[in-house]
Amino acid sequence: EDQVTQSPEALRLQEGESSSLNCSYTVSGLRGLFWYRQDPGKGPEFLFTLYSAGEEKEKERLKATLTKKESFLHITAPKPEDSATYLCAVLVTGGSYIPTFGRGTSLIVHP
Amino acid sequence: NAGVTQTPKFRILKIGQSMTLQCTQDMNHNYMYWYRQDPGMGLKLIYYSVGAGITDKGEVPNGYNVSRSTTEDFPLRLELAAPSQTSVYFCATLQELNYGYTFGSGTRLTVV
């Protein structure tokens, strides 16, 4: 069974305090791993797709990396506006396009 | 470019009532999905569609029905609402080029 586990469940940072969120996965074959940001009362917003181990993608203060077992979302010098829930999802090879989502990490950045 | 539009944004239903959650997309995407999101439980797939006229059950389909008569529209029907259906519902589509999913803004449903 495909599984996606995100840690920690919640993270509180001071503005400027860099950290990383983890997404570990167990799948038969990886088609892609996705990161989303979700603000309260809104739908998830697409951030990145990673396809293979060693791949990295960046967007402003966010950098996503991928290994064969996990992905990290590194947040460098976060600002209060980075506060949100970050969701990880994986899509396996074969079959239909049904992603498996993790439960998310709730990030709060204090000024 | 509206993306994925969901209506209504909020709704309160009484037990046993029925309603339809609307979802419309303007991106010409074949794949569409309905999820429910409960606090701390992540996104659960209710139904999905791979194109007009084709739908299939997800992880939690009981109590729901869908139809897909056009590429643009994917309504979710709740029959005989129950308190367990209190949740936030999201519609999503898939961009097959990069597997990017676009979500609507959600419908917050309360069954009392």
Side-chain angles (χ1 to χ4, degrees), chain B residues 48-88:
Chain B
Y48 68 99
S49 170
V50 302
I54 306 170
T55 62
D56 207 347
K57 296 178 181 179
E59 185 180 359
V60 290
N62 292 342
Y64 307 94
N65 274 301
V66 294
S67 60
R68 183 95 181 269
S69 57
T70 67
T71 299
E72 293 78 19
D73 299 306
F74 190 39
L76 178 70
R77 178 80 177 165
L78 277 72
E79 304 282 0
L80 299 175
S84 61
Q85 293 177 305
T86 294
S87 187
V88 181

Side-chain angles (χ1 to χ4, degrees), chain A residues 31-32 34 36 38 41-46 49 51 87 91 95-99 101-103, chain B residues 31 33 35 37 40-43 45 48 50 90 94 96-101 103-105 108:
Chain A
R31 188 194 295 264
F34 318 97
Y36 289 84
Q38 186 174 22
K42 296 188 177 181
E45 178 185 346
F46 174 72
T49 303
Y51 297 98
L87 298 172
L91 192 63
S96 55
Y97 292 107
I98 307 295
F101 281 88
R103 295 187 176 187
Chain B
Y31 284 80
Y33 309 80
Y35 289 92
Q37 188 176 41
M41 296 303 293
L43 289 160
L45 181 66
Y48 68 99
V50 302
F90 290 103
L94 170 70
E96 293 176 54
L97 185 63
N98 64 359
Y99 308 126
Y101 293 82
F103 285 82
S105 57
R108 183 175 295 276

Side-chain angles (χ1 to χ4, degrees), chain A residues 35-87:
Chain A
W35 283 99
Y36 289 84
R37 170 191 171 126
Q38 186 174 22
D39 293 301
K42 296 188 177 181
E45 178 185 346
F46 174 72
L47 292 173
F48 306 109
T49 303
L50 301 168
Y51 297 98
S52 58
E55 189 174 1
E56 299 181 351
K57 293 221 175 140
E58 290 188 63
K59 181 179 180 180
E60 295 181 358
R61 294 175 293 282
L62 301 177
K63 179 180 178 180
T65 61
L66 181 66
T67 72
K68 290 186 178 180
K69 294 183 179 181
E70 59 191 348
S71 176
F72 291 95
L73 185 65
H74 306 279
I75 304 177
T76 302
K79 298 181 178 182
E81 52 262 42
D82 294 322
S83 298
T85 295
Y86 291 85
L87 298 172

Side-chain angles (χ1 to χ4, degrees), chain B residues 15-44:
Chain B
I15 294 172
Q17 286 185 322
S18 300
M19 76 165 293
T20 299
L21 282 66
Q22 301 291 346
C23 176
T24 299
Q25 56 116 346
D26 62 0
M27 297 173 287
N28 201 35
H29 289 168
N30 289 316
Y31 284 80
M32 296 187 74
Y33 309 80
W34 274 106
Y35 289 92
R36 59 177 289 172
Q37 188 176 41
D38 301 304
M41 296 303 293
L43 289 160
K44 301 291 186 183

